[in-house]
Amino acid sequence: MFSENLHFFEKLSIFLIETKIPHEKIKFLKNTISLKGGFIVTNPSTADVILTILKSPARISRYIGSETRKPIVSIEWVDKCVSKGARIEFVDYLIRGIEEDAMDWTTVEEEEEDQDLFDEDSNSSSSRSPIYTSENEHSDDGRDVDLDPRFLNTSYECLRPTPLKPKFNAKLVELLEVIERAREVNDQWRNALSYRRAIAVLKSYPRDIISHKEIKKIRGIGSKIGYQIESYLRTGTITEAEHILQDKRFHTLELFASIFGVGFKTALSWYRKGYRTIEDCKNHPNLTKAQQLGLQLFDDLREKTLPQNSPFSKRRMSREDVEEIYNIIKENVKKLDPGCVLQPVGGYRRGKELNGDLDLIISHPDEERVPSLLNDVITTLTEGGYIKNLLYRARSESRTGIIDHLEKCFVAFLQPSTQIKRQVDFIIATQSQFASALVGWTGSRQYERSLRRYAKREKKMVFASHGLFTNTKPRILIPTSTEREIFDILGVPWLEPEMRNC
DNA sequence: CGGCATACG
DNA sequence: CGTAT
DNA sequence: GCCG
């Protein structure tokens, strides 16, 4: 996936034992093999390699007869090749090598034969293979488990509570988030979106997933992600995610895309030019204004962490850091105009311990005061020595003087106690815009997406962070004054900000 | 097989 | 193309 | 990558 060599199965003939492999997975395997230049044969004796999910040698021998000279390999080998983007050695995936003595087989044969009779159709728990065991007890016993009745099986995340840290399925969520990020840096936002929806499901699911039959009933988890989860239940990990974490290209792309002013497409294009370090990026000829700033402030906004985790991570603020900055701003703004109303939003409001920035809505009961508010706030804080750089500014002055969207400004704010420049996002809202700004800027991103999709598809309304509208032309504003009122009109349940972490 | 959130610089 | 939730 |  991260390297370019296709056709890594070129001219490889493969005999696939389809037994016990989920239907979707069979399609995926056949598709992958032919896509990569290999081909499926129907006779094991003409195959270079035999693929199976089965573990019992006795069972396997039923499908390959007396053919004992061919390597028999777990289908996970194919997954490994796909994630590596290359044909890798199958030594680690051999179920039976070509050298092995057939005698060892017959010993296990009898006890396993009997089990096979029960295995055939069944929901009974199957014996565990050595290659599938791990230190943790992961149980995918294949039982037909009903979904937990407390779980709302909807494709709209905004209809069910999602905590910041999942009580269950935490490791699985972590692994899927790795794949989500990999899809993002590879500019596959639709795939990333699917992973995000699946992650949101697992974060809100009220117990650990224990069976792959349970998974498939959940809206948002289909065959591919379902298979990843199934594999996780067997092995305790997801090979693709483990691979991504080893992949230097992935980490470099994440690093580049973490520069302010550099998105996934630019990160990819720079990588293709051969850039590998921040220094390389600084030498790029046509840097935009934003990118120049982003590179200049990179060490402030970012920090190298322990090489065990991803080698670079955002220099995040504790809640105390955020509060320190918030109190300074509040003091200065109140001094400027006591009528101002300040409301921290974003991840901080959702309860995050570590925050990449501070998002702050500033409002004022007097609509006349609002248009000049941002300038005054910026000026005061700049003169106070706090604001060191302006990163981005959206003005909202229309000819008629009517503000139809939110004025906002992102700045680099010098935190006194640490002397680190922190990103602060100011959002200006009139009183009539305040409620929607609150909903719109509290997030999470996925919560916003689902709320907006729900509003449009189920209620024929359009929600934006400056207001709720009818989905007509022209759009008609539906006045709202509180968060709860917006939820009521949309018919979505009230969720505490801490439960909007999808 | 189209749609996937919405807005602004 | 980039920014934000 | 998943759904309607």
Side-chain angles (χ1 to χ4, degrees), chain A residues 265-485:
Chain A
K265 290 187 194 259
T266 305
L268 272 168
S269 84
W270 285 1
Y271 188 90
R272 293 204 189 98
K273 284 182 191 293
Y275 303 175
R276 293 296 182 271
T277 67
I278 293 296
E279 288 309 308
D280 294 342
C281 298
K282 285 180 178 168
N283 293 327
H284 182 78
N286 312 314
L287 289 172
T288 67
K289 270 284 161 60
Q291 289 162 354
Q292 290 172 29
L293 259 174
L295 286 164
Q296 179 196 320
L297 297 175
F298 187 81
D299 291 331
D300 265 287
L301 302 176
R302 300 270 148 173
E303 158 184 78
K304 289 173 186 173
T305 55
L306 297 171
Q308 280 173 327
N309 299 335
S310 73
F312 298 92
S313 78
K314 197 158 191 171
R315 186 176 267 211
R316 295 198 142 92
M317 289 179 280
S318 68
R319 295 186 69 77
E320 290 68 34
D321 290 328
V322 173
E323 282 150 19
E324 176 190 345
I325 291 167
Y326 171 63
N327 287 329
I328 291 167
I329 295 170
K330 188 175 180 179
E331 201 177 299
N332 280 273
V333 170
K334 287 284 190 184
K335 198 156 54 182
L336 176 74
D337 188 332
C340 285
V341 176
L342 288 79
Q343 173 66 58
V345 284
Y348 176 81
R349 184 166 183 243
R350 297 198 310 277
K352 282 182 70 177
E353 289 298 332
L354 294 173
N355 294 272
D357 65 5
L358 162 62
D359 304 296
L360 190 58
I361 299 176
I362 302 181
S363 186
H364 196 286
D366 180 6
E367 299 245 341
E368 306 276 293
R369 180 71 181 90
V370 169
S372 57
L373 203 51
L374 188 56
N375 263 335
D376 293 349
V377 169
I378 300 293
T379 303
T380 299
L381 292 170
T382 305
E383 287 170 355
Y386 295 110
I387 292 178
K388 293 299 186 185
N389 310 81
L390 299 187
L391 300 170
Y392 176 95
R393 176 138 190 194
R395 292 174 178 78
S396 80
E397 187 92 39
S398 70
R399 291 161 232 84
T400 58
I402 297 166
I403 297 161
D404 65 342
H405 64 267
L406 302 176
E407 205 179 355
K408 50 186 180 278
C409 184
F410 309 154
V411 307
F413 188 102
L414 187 68
Q415 182 187 10
S417 68
T418 61
Q419 292 292 303
I420 296 171
K421 286 179 193 169
R422 308 293 201 174
Q423 184 172 336
V424 177
D425 300 350
F426 292 96
I427 299 98
I428 304 294
T430 63
Q431 209 165 47
S432 62
Q433 293 169 323
F434 189 80
S436 52
L438 198 49
V439 174
W441 279 84
T442 295
S444 64
R445 179 168 105 135
Q446 189 54 32
Y447 181 84
E448 299 300 324
R449 288 175 145 189
S450 71
L451 191 71
R452 287 155 201 236
R453 194 161 59 94
Y454 185 84
K456 182 173 273 182
R457 311 243 304 230
E458 309 296 332
K459 301 291 173 179
K460 300 279 179 283
M461 296 178 199
V462 177
F463 177 73
S465 51
H466 57 91
L468 182 60
F469 304 88
T470 60
N471 190 19
T472 54
K473 48 180 189 180
R475 291 175 177 179
I476 297 161
L477 176 71
I478 302 163
T480 54
S481 54
T482 64
E483 272 194 322
R484 281 183 191 274
E485 192 180 358

Side-chain angles (χ1 to χ4, degrees), chain A residues 254-268:
Chain A
E254 275 212 316
L255 175 68
F256 289 178
S258 77
I259 302 164
F260 188 92
V262 179
F264 300 127
K265 290 187 194 259
T266 305
L268 272 168

Side-chain angles (χ1 to χ4, degrees), chain A residues 20 55-56 112 115-116 119 124-130 132:
Chain A
K20 296 223 109 188
K55 302 145 280 185
S56 149
E112 301 256 341
Q115 281 199 356
D116 281 353
D119 265 12
S124 75
S125 59
S126 54
S127 58
R128 221 145 278 149
S129 143
Y132 288 151

Side-chain angles (χ1 to χ4, degrees), chain A residues 57-82:
Chain A
R59 183 76 176 271
I60 292 167
S61 67
R62 284 220 300 256
Y63 298 94
I64 60 172
S66 56
E67 183 53 74
T68 56
R69 297 158 302 163
K70 303 297 167 84
I72 300 172
V73 178
S74 161
I75 59 165
E76 298 205 335
W77 171 69
V78 175
D79 298 328
K80 197 87 167 184
C81 293
V82 169

Side-chain angles (χ1 to χ4, degrees), chain A residues 113-315:
Chain A
E113 262 305 336
D114 288 340
Q115 281 199 356
D116 281 353
L117 298 171
F118 299 95
D119 265 12
E120 199 58 60
D121 39 332
S122 85
N123 304 328
S124 75
S125 59
S126 54
S127 58
R128 221 145 278 149
S129 143
I131 63 162
Y132 288 151
T133 49
S134 69
E135 44 294 314
N136 306 331
E137 251 320 290
H138 293 276
S139 53
D140 178 13
D141 48 22
R143 274 178 305 168
D144 194 356
V145 180
D146 281 333
L147 291 185
D148 192 298
R150 292 167 293 180
F151 174 74
L152 186 60
N153 195 8
T154 172
S155 60
Y156 295 108
E157 292 88 350
C158 60
L159 299 184
R160 64 183 177 231
T162 310
L164 183 61
K165 290 187 178 162
K167 297 182 190 70
F168 306 100
N169 307 303
K171 169 118 190 264
L172 180 53
V173 164
E174 207 176 290
L175 291 164
L176 291 174
E177 281 177 339
V178 171
I179 303 178
E180 178 197 20
R181 287 190 282 141
R183 296 292 182 273
E184 267 178 358
V185 297
N186 276 293
D187 203 22
Q188 300 171 294
W189 69 265
R190 290 168 192 82
N191 301 47
L193 177 59
S194 290
Y195 275 90
R196 174 44 52 184
R197 288 177 174 166
I199 289 161
V201 160
L202 295 169
K203 284 181 77 175
S204 72
Y205 202 69
R207 68 179 186 222
D208 274 330
I209 300 287
I210 52 167
S211 157
H212 62 83
K213 295 200 175 158
E214 180 181 14
I215 299 165
K216 289 173 183 163
K217 300 174 186 171
I218 299 175
R219 280 196 250 185
I221 298 181
S223 64
K224 296 261 185 63
I225 296 176
Y227 173 73
Q228 304 270 40
I229 295 173
E230 194 188 328
S231 156
Y232 167 82
L233 292 172
R234 285 198 312 270
T235 65
T237 191
I238 300 174
T239 49
E240 189 185 352
E242 300 288 346
H243 247 98
I244 290 162
L245 290 172
Q246 308 282 319
D247 193 306
K248 282 184 184 163
R249 181 185 129 109
F250 168 71
H251 290 295
T252 304
L253 287 171
E254 275 212 316
L255 175 68
F256 289 178
S258 77
I259 302 164
F260 188 92
V262 179
F264 300 127
K265 290 187 194 259
T266 305
L268 272 168
S269 84
W270 285 1
Y271 188 90
R272 293 204 189 98
K273 284 182 191 293
Y275 303 175
R276 293 296 182 271
T277 67
I278 293 296
E279 288 309 308
D280 294 342
C281 298
K282 285 180 178 168
N283 293 327
H284 182 78
N286 312 314
L287 289 172
T288 67
K289 270 284 161 60
Q291 289 162 354
Q292 290 172 29
L293 259 174
L295 286 164
Q296 179 196 320
L297 297 175
F298 187 81
D299 291 331
D300 265 287
L301 302 176
R302 300 270 148 173
E303 158 184 78
K304 289 173 186 173
T305 55
L306 297 171
Q308 280 173 327
N309 299 335
S310 73
F312 298 92
S313 78
K314 197 158 191 171
R315 186 176 267 211

